[in-house]
Amino acid sequence: MKGLPLAAQKCSRAIAVLVVALFSQMFFSLTAMADSADERVAELQTAWAKIKYRTPEKQQAAQFSELIGQAQAATAAYPQSAPVWVWSGIIRASYAGAKGGLGALSAVKAAKSDLEQAIAIDGSVLDGAAYTSLGSLYYQVPSWPIGFGNDKKAESFLRKGLEFGAKDVDANYFYADYLFQKKNYAQALEYLHRAEQAPTDPQRPVASEGRLGEIKSLQAKIQQEMH
């Protein structure tokens, strides 16, 4: 700042300090937002697992419905967080599964929309969970004209999920379940074995235990079909 009048030098220094302060504030605000989004995801995960694996089936629909409200609040607060959209989609899909019938189709469509939003932001998050969850919807939902079910799209999305989560328990489990539905029992067992060997998440003990139970149950069904 040589050559500038003293007053101009002071003004330039003040502007520089202000700019540094603003960028620092923005950095800490973004960090806090990320932490809060992660915390919100953890809360949704924990609540979902308790309903899915620790709540009687007849009570699940009502509790998932309440959890949808929390998920909506999370997506409103963190609209650029792909994991938040993933879990909103999973919760809506779980509600639809618990509710059942044609009345659940609107929830399934909303789940599809949430998962597509997650993919638009970053489909790689959570080991490709958005792709895996979307794939699971496509093979479980009725096809047109009732729903949007499509086996080809289901397999495409499920395999995309496996690209991001080759060792992920959910990616392998849902692909195994899809293969079971297609009566490809030998290959289904192969992916169930991968799911069984997948590392468990110590932060999600209820979900890990519940999914392992589902793996064992599907293995038994396949063994029964093969004998």
Side-chain angles (χ1 to χ4, degrees):
M1 284 183 271
K2 284 187 177 180
L4 287 175
L6 182 60
Q9 291 184 30
K10 289 182 177 179
C11 182
S12 295
R13 291 194 190 98
I15 291 172
V17 170
L18 179 60
V19 169
V20 170
L22 285 172
F23 274 108
S24 297
Q25 184 177 2
M26 287 173 61
F27 173 78
F28 286 117
S29 295
L30 288 170
T31 302
M33 183 180 292
D35 289 344
S36 297
D38 289 344
E39 289 171 1
R40 194 68 67 88
V41 167
E43 290 170 1
L44 293 174
Q45 289 175 332
T46 300
W48 173 86
K50 288 181 179 177
I51 298 171
K52 177 72 174 177
Y53 298 117
R54 293 287 187 271
T55 302
E57 288 186 9
K58 291 183 179 180
Q59 299 173 22
Q60 288 186 10
Q63 294 192 25
F64 276 132
S65 180
E66 291 181 10
L67 192 58
I68 286 174
Q70 297 179 36
Q72 288 177 317
T75 56
Y78 309 104
Q80 294 304 312
S81 171
V84 168
W85 284 105
V86 169
W87 273 97
S88 180
I90 290 172
I91 290 164
R92 289 183 189 275
S94 298
Y95 165 71
K99 182 178 176 62
L102 295 178
L105 283 176
S106 61
V108 173
K109 291 177 180 177
K112 176 176 175 288
S113 178
D114 285 355
L115 295 169
E116 289 171 340
Q117 180 64 24
I119 289 171
I121 297 169
D122 183 0
S124 70
V125 297
L126 305 177
D127 291 328
Y131 286 109
T132 296
S133 299
L134 192 55
S136 74
L137 289 184
Y138 270 104
Y139 78 81
Q140 295 183 76
V141 171
S143 59
W144 189 89
I146 298 174
F148 56 84
N150 185 303
D151 284 347
K152 288 184 178 179
K153 288 186 177 181
E155 183 162 17
S156 177
F157 282 120
L158 289 169
R159 293 190 70 85
K160 189 70 174 178
L162 283 166
E163 287 181 23
F164 292 113
K167 296 183 179 179
D168 180 73
V169 61
D170 295 329
N172 283 283
Y173 169 77
F174 280 108
Y175 190 51
D177 188 52
Y178 168 78
L179 293 169
F180 169 69
Q181 302 295 336
K182 305 301 291 182
K183 302 186 186 302
N184 191 342
Y185 301 133
Q187 195 174 11
L189 283 176
E190 178 186 335
Y191 280 92
L192 276 180
H193 178 71
R194 295 183 188 184
E196 195 173 21
Q197 297 301 311
T200 58
D201 186 347
Q203 302 299 318
R204 300 176 58 201
V206 175
S208 295
E209 180 185 340
R211 184 65 79 207
L212 182 59
E214 290 174 329
I215 290 169
K216 297 291 188 185
S217 177
L218 185 53
Q219 285 174 332
K221 289 179 183 178
I222 293 172
Q223 294 291 353
Q224 187 174 6
E225 291 291 338
M226 293 177 72
H227 290 91

